[in-house]
Amino acid sequence: MLLAAGGGRRLGGRPKALLPYLGRPLIENAVRVLREAGCAPVHVVLGAAAREVRERADLTGCVVVDNPDWAEGMGSSLRVGLASLAGTDAAAALVSLVDQPGIGAAAVARVREAYRSPATLAAAAYGGERGHPVLFGADRWADIAATAAGDRGARVHLARHADELILVECGDIAEAFDIDTPPDLARLG
């Protein structure tokens, strides 16, 4: 699942999904990374400028859902994304963020490989510190959705279940930076 609903408030209101990266919208890179890591189908949560993202980005083959409450923060997008998976045969959701182009398919695949059962809870780690992507077994979705609010996303669930969390070190193959502010745009090349 790709969370790509943010409005880029600290970027002057430029939706992150549409930032140029390698000649295309950043969202296309994030979808490609998930696919190359073996994630399918890719569910994409849009919010800010959703219509424009649909028009400008190639999201062929993705399950695209809109978060009308995107301005409330990542928690609302996580709830919408998990709801889009309800009723599917998905055993887990691997959640990635659109604004982290330094995380490639190798890191995503490494986290994906941590799946053991519908109760799995795993996250990439960078120098031992939890980061993205994260993997939630289907048995955890209801609790995560119930506690996801604001920009906290799944932090409440992760804190409550820290002893069950599998940290998958990815610092050797990925860089976990975010594109949040104008100076960060230099990382897009």
Side-chain angles (χ1 to χ4, degrees):
M1 172 192 327
L2 177 63
L3 302 183
R9 181 183 73 253
R10 291 179 283 173
L11 287 168
R14 295 172 63 189
K16 293 179 181 184
L18 291 174
L19 293 173
Y21 183 65
L22 304 175
R24 298 293 306 153
L26 185 58
I27 192 170
E28 289 181 13
N29 175 70
V31 167
R32 179 189 52 75
V33 164
L34 288 170
R35 286 182 174 145
E36 286 179 2
C39 298
V42 175
H43 287 236
V44 177
V45 181
L46 298 179
R51 182 181 56 77
E52 188 178 357
V53 173
R54 279 186 168 86
E55 290 171 0
R56 292 183 43 200
D58 181 1
L59 300 176
T60 303
C62 294
V63 176
V64 182
V65 294
D66 288 331
N67 175 10
D69 301 319
W70 64 268
E72 292 177 10
M74 187 188 314
S76 65
S77 291
L78 184 55
R79 289 191 311 270
V80 166
L82 291 173
S84 77
L85 289 169
T88 69
D89 62 357
L94 188 140
V95 181
S96 185
L97 307 178
V98 73
D99 67 344
Q100 295 188 318
I103 299 174
V108 174
R110 196 178 275 181
V111 173
R112 185 174 168 266
E113 290 168 8
Y115 175 82
R116 299 291 177 263
S117 75
T120 299
L121 184 63
Y126 302 90
E129 296 294 319
R130 180 178 52 80
H132 285 92
V134 293
L135 186 140
F136 306 124
D139 290 354
R140 298 188 178 271
W141 297 351
D143 186 56
I144 291 168
T147 59
D151 279 328
R152 292 189 316 261
R155 285 187 197 140
V156 171
H157 186 85
L158 291 167
R160 285 183 186 160
H161 301 278
D163 58 328
E164 301 166 56
L165 178 63
I166 301 165
L167 286 179
V168 181
E169 184 57 47
C170 293
D172 60 321
I173 56 173
E175 295 182 73
F177 61 85
D178 296 346
I179 304 297
D180 287 332
T181 63
D184 296 336
L185 294 173
R187 290 181 171 257
L188 292 175

Short mmCIF file of all heavy atoms in Angstrom, two decimals, residues 1 29-42 94-96 103-114 133 135 173:
data_model
loop_
_atom_site.label_atom_id
_atom_site.label_comp_id
_atom_site.label_asym_id
_atom_site.label_seq_id
_atom_site.Cartn_x
_atom_site.Cartn_y
_atom_site.Cartn_z
N MET A 1 0.84 -1.17 0.00
CA MET A 1 0.00 0.00 0.00
C MET A 1 0.89 1.24 0.00
O MET A 1 1.86 1.29 0.76
CB MET A 1 -0.88 -0.01 1.26
CG MET A 1 -1.66 1.25 1.45
SD MET A 1 -2.44 1.42 3.08
CE MET A 1 -2.87 -0.22 3.53
N ASN A 29 7.56 6.37 -9.26
CA ASN A 29 8.72 5.68 -8.71
C ASN A 29 8.30 4.81 -7.53
O ASN A 29 8.72 3.65 -7.43
CB ASN A 29 9.77 6.70 -8.25
CG ASN A 29 10.94 6.02 -7.57
OD1 ASN A 29 11.74 5.34 -8.20
ND2 ASN A 29 11.02 6.20 -6.27
N ALA A 30 7.48 5.34 -6.64
CA ALA A 30 7.05 4.58 -5.46
C ALA A 30 6.26 3.33 -5.85
O ALA A 30 6.45 2.27 -5.26
CB ALA A 30 6.24 5.49 -4.54
N VAL A 31 5.40 3.44 -6.84
CA VAL A 31 4.64 2.28 -7.32
C VAL A 31 5.58 1.25 -7.93
O VAL A 31 5.48 0.04 -7.66
CB VAL A 31 3.55 2.71 -8.33
CG1 VAL A 31 2.98 1.51 -9.07
CG2 VAL A 31 2.45 3.49 -7.63
N ARG A 32 6.53 1.70 -8.74
CA ARG A 32 7.51 0.80 -9.36
C ARG A 32 8.30 0.04 -8.31
O ARG A 32 8.51 -1.17 -8.42
CB ARG A 32 8.46 1.59 -10.27
CG ARG A 32 9.52 0.71 -10.95
CD ARG A 32 10.57 1.54 -11.68
NE ARG A 32 11.19 2.58 -10.87
CZ ARG A 32 12.11 2.37 -9.92
NH1 ARG A 32 12.52 1.15 -9.65
NH2 ARG A 32 12.61 3.38 -9.24
N VAL A 33 8.74 0.73 -7.27
CA VAL A 33 9.51 0.10 -6.20
C VAL A 33 8.70 -1.01 -5.55
O VAL A 33 9.21 -2.12 -5.33
CB VAL A 33 9.96 1.16 -5.16
CG1 VAL A 33 10.41 0.52 -3.86
CG2 VAL A 33 11.05 2.04 -5.74
N LEU A 34 7.44 -0.74 -5.23
CA LEU A 34 6.60 -1.77 -4.61
C LEU A 34 6.45 -2.98 -5.53
O LEU A 34 6.57 -4.13 -5.08
CB LEU A 34 5.24 -1.20 -4.23
CG LEU A 34 5.26 -0.23 -3.04
CD1 LEU A 34 3.92 0.48 -2.90
CD2 LEU A 34 5.62 -0.96 -1.75
N ARG A 35 6.21 -2.73 -6.79
CA ARG A 35 6.04 -3.84 -7.74
C ARG A 35 7.32 -4.65 -7.88
O ARG A 35 7.28 -5.89 -7.89
CB ARG A 35 5.60 -3.30 -9.10
CG ARG A 35 4.15 -2.86 -9.11
CD ARG A 35 3.73 -2.39 -10.47
NE ARG A 35 2.31 -2.11 -10.49
CZ ARG A 35 1.76 -1.15 -11.20
NH1 ARG A 35 2.51 -0.39 -11.98
NH2 ARG A 35 0.46 -0.95 -11.15
N GLU A 36 8.45 -3.97 -8.00
CA GLU A 36 9.73 -4.67 -8.15
C GLU A 36 10.06 -5.51 -6.91
O GLU A 36 10.78 -6.49 -7.00
CB GLU A 36 10.86 -3.68 -8.43
CG GLU A 36 10.82 -3.13 -9.84
CD GLU A 36 11.93 -2.13 -10.12
OE1 GLU A 36 12.78 -1.87 -9.24
OE2 GLU A 36 11.94 -1.59 -11.25
N ALA A 37 9.50 -5.13 -5.77
CA ALA A 37 9.73 -5.88 -4.53
C ALA A 37 8.75 -7.03 -4.37
O ALA A 37 8.80 -7.76 -3.38
CB ALA A 37 9.62 -4.94 -3.33
N GLY A 38 7.86 -7.21 -5.35
CA GLY A 38 6.92 -8.32 -5.31
C GLY A 38 5.59 -8.02 -4.68
O GLY A 38 4.82 -8.95 -4.40
N CYS A 39 5.30 -6.75 -4.45
CA CYS A 39 4.01 -6.38 -3.86
C CYS A 39 2.95 -6.25 -4.96
O CYS A 39 3.15 -5.52 -5.93
CB CYS A 39 4.12 -5.06 -3.11
SG CYS A 39 5.28 -5.11 -1.73
N ALA A 40 1.87 -6.96 -4.80
CA ALA A 40 0.78 -6.89 -5.78
C ALA A 40 -0.49 -7.43 -5.14
O ALA A 40 -0.42 -8.40 -4.39
CB ALA A 40 1.12 -7.70 -7.03
N PRO A 41 -1.60 -6.82 -5.41
CA PRO A 41 -1.73 -5.56 -6.14
C PRO A 41 -1.29 -4.39 -5.28
O PRO A 41 -1.23 -4.49 -4.05
CB PRO A 41 -3.23 -5.48 -6.43
CG PRO A 41 -3.87 -6.21 -5.30
CD PRO A 41 -2.91 -7.32 -4.94
N VAL A 42 -0.95 -3.28 -5.91
CA VAL A 42 -0.55 -2.07 -5.21
C VAL A 42 -1.78 -1.20 -5.01
O VAL A 42 -2.42 -0.79 -5.98
CB VAL A 42 0.55 -1.31 -5.98
CG1 VAL A 42 0.86 0.01 -5.28
CG2 VAL A 42 1.79 -2.17 -6.11
N LEU A 94 1.90 -4.12 3.26
CA LEU A 94 3.20 -3.49 3.36
C LEU A 94 2.98 -2.03 3.00
O LEU A 94 2.53 -1.72 1.91
CB LEU A 94 4.21 -4.12 2.41
CG LEU A 94 5.63 -3.62 2.64
CD1 LEU A 94 6.62 -4.77 2.52
CD2 LEU A 94 5.98 -2.50 1.70
N VAL A 95 3.23 -1.15 3.95
CA VAL A 95 2.90 0.27 3.80
C VAL A 95 4.16 1.07 3.53
O VAL A 95 5.12 1.04 4.30
CB VAL A 95 2.18 0.81 5.05
CG1 VAL A 95 1.81 2.27 4.87
CG2 VAL A 95 0.93 -0.03 5.35
N SER A 96 4.13 1.81 2.43
CA SER A 96 5.24 2.64 2.00
C SER A 96 4.75 4.08 1.83
O SER A 96 3.56 4.31 1.64
CB SER A 96 5.76 2.09 0.67
OG SER A 96 6.91 2.78 0.26
N ILE A 103 14.37 4.80 -0.57
CA ILE A 103 14.05 3.43 -0.19
C ILE A 103 13.64 2.70 -1.46
O ILE A 103 12.61 2.99 -2.05
CB ILE A 103 12.92 3.38 0.86
CG1 ILE A 103 13.37 4.12 2.13
CG2 ILE A 103 12.53 1.94 1.17
CD1 ILE A 103 12.31 4.26 3.18
N GLY A 104 14.46 1.76 -1.86
CA GLY A 104 14.23 1.04 -3.10
C GLY A 104 13.63 -0.33 -2.90
O GLY A 104 13.29 -0.74 -1.78
N ALA A 105 13.54 -1.05 -4.00
CA ALA A 105 12.90 -2.37 -4.00
C ALA A 105 13.62 -3.37 -3.09
O ALA A 105 12.98 -4.23 -2.49
CB ALA A 105 12.82 -2.90 -5.42
N ALA A 106 14.94 -3.26 -2.96
CA ALA A 106 15.67 -4.22 -2.12
C ALA A 106 15.24 -4.11 -0.66
O ALA A 106 15.03 -5.13 0.01
CB ALA A 106 17.17 -3.99 -2.24
N ALA A 107 15.07 -2.90 -0.15
CA ALA A 107 14.62 -2.71 1.23
C ALA A 107 13.19 -3.17 1.41
O ALA A 107 12.85 -3.83 2.40
CB ALA A 107 14.78 -1.25 1.65
N VAL A 108 12.34 -2.83 0.45
CA VAL A 108 10.93 -3.25 0.54
C VAL A 108 10.84 -4.77 0.53
O VAL A 108 10.12 -5.37 1.33
CB VAL A 108 10.10 -2.63 -0.61
CG1 VAL A 108 8.68 -3.18 -0.62
CG2 VAL A 108 10.09 -1.10 -0.50
N ALA A 109 11.59 -5.41 -0.34
CA ALA A 109 11.58 -6.88 -0.41
C ALA A 109 12.08 -7.49 0.89
O ALA A 109 11.54 -8.50 1.36
CB ALA A 109 12.42 -7.36 -1.58
N ARG A 110 13.07 -6.89 1.49
CA ARG A 110 13.61 -7.40 2.75
C ARG A 110 12.55 -7.36 3.85
O ARG A 110 12.41 -8.31 4.61
CB ARG A 110 14.84 -6.58 3.14
CG ARG A 110 15.70 -7.24 4.19
CD ARG A 110 16.92 -6.41 4.51
NE ARG A 110 18.03 -6.67 3.59
CZ ARG A 110 19.21 -6.06 3.68
NH1 ARG A 110 19.44 -5.18 4.64
NH2 ARG A 110 20.17 -6.34 2.81
N VAL A 111 11.80 -6.27 3.92
CA VAL A 111 10.73 -6.17 4.92
C VAL A 111 9.62 -7.16 4.58
O VAL A 111 9.08 -7.85 5.46
CB VAL A 111 10.19 -4.73 5.03
CG1 VAL A 111 8.96 -4.67 5.93
CG2 VAL A 111 11.29 -3.79 5.54
N ARG A 112 9.29 -7.27 3.31
CA ARG A 112 8.25 -8.21 2.87
C ARG A 112 8.59 -9.64 3.28
O ARG A 112 7.71 -10.41 3.67
CB ARG A 112 8.08 -8.10 1.36
CG ARG A 112 6.96 -8.92 0.77
CD ARG A 112 6.82 -8.61 -0.73
NE ARG A 112 5.95 -9.57 -1.33
CZ ARG A 112 6.38 -10.69 -1.94
NH1 ARG A 112 7.66 -10.97 -2.02
NH2 ARG A 112 5.50 -11.53 -2.46
N GLU A 113 9.85 -9.99 3.22
CA GLU A 113 10.29 -11.34 3.58
C GLU A 113 10.16 -11.64 5.07
O GLU A 113 10.24 -12.80 5.47
CB GLU A 113 11.74 -11.55 3.12
CG GLU A 113 11.87 -11.63 1.62
CD GLU A 113 13.31 -11.55 1.13
OE1 GLU A 113 14.25 -11.56 1.96
OE2 GLU A 113 13.49 -11.45 -0.10
N ALA A 114 9.90 -10.63 5.88
CA ALA A 114 9.72 -10.84 7.32
C ALA A 114 8.33 -11.40 7.65
O ALA A 114 8.08 -11.81 8.78
CB ALA A 114 9.94 -9.53 8.08
N PRO A 133 9.63 0.96 4.97
CA PRO A 133 8.22 0.57 5.05
C PRO A 133 7.94 -0.28 6.29
O PRO A 133 8.86 -0.74 6.97
CB PRO A 133 8.00 -0.25 3.77
CG PRO A 133 9.35 -0.84 3.48
CD PRO A 133 10.36 0.20 3.93
N LEU A 135 5.18 -3.46 7.77
CA LEU A 135 4.33 -4.56 7.31
C LEU A 135 3.40 -4.95 8.45
O LEU A 135 3.85 -5.19 9.57
CB LEU A 135 5.19 -5.77 6.91
CG LEU A 135 4.40 -6.93 6.29
CD1 LEU A 135 5.18 -7.54 5.14
CD2 LEU A 135 4.09 -7.99 7.32
N ILE A 173 21.19 -0.80 2.55
CA ILE A 173 20.70 -0.82 1.16
C ILE A 173 19.74 0.32 0.83
O ILE A 173 19.24 0.41 -0.29
CB ILE A 173 20.02 -2.16 0.82
CG1 ILE A 173 18.89 -2.48 1.80
CG2 ILE A 173 21.05 -3.28 0.77
CD1 ILE A 173 18.06 -3.69 1.43
#
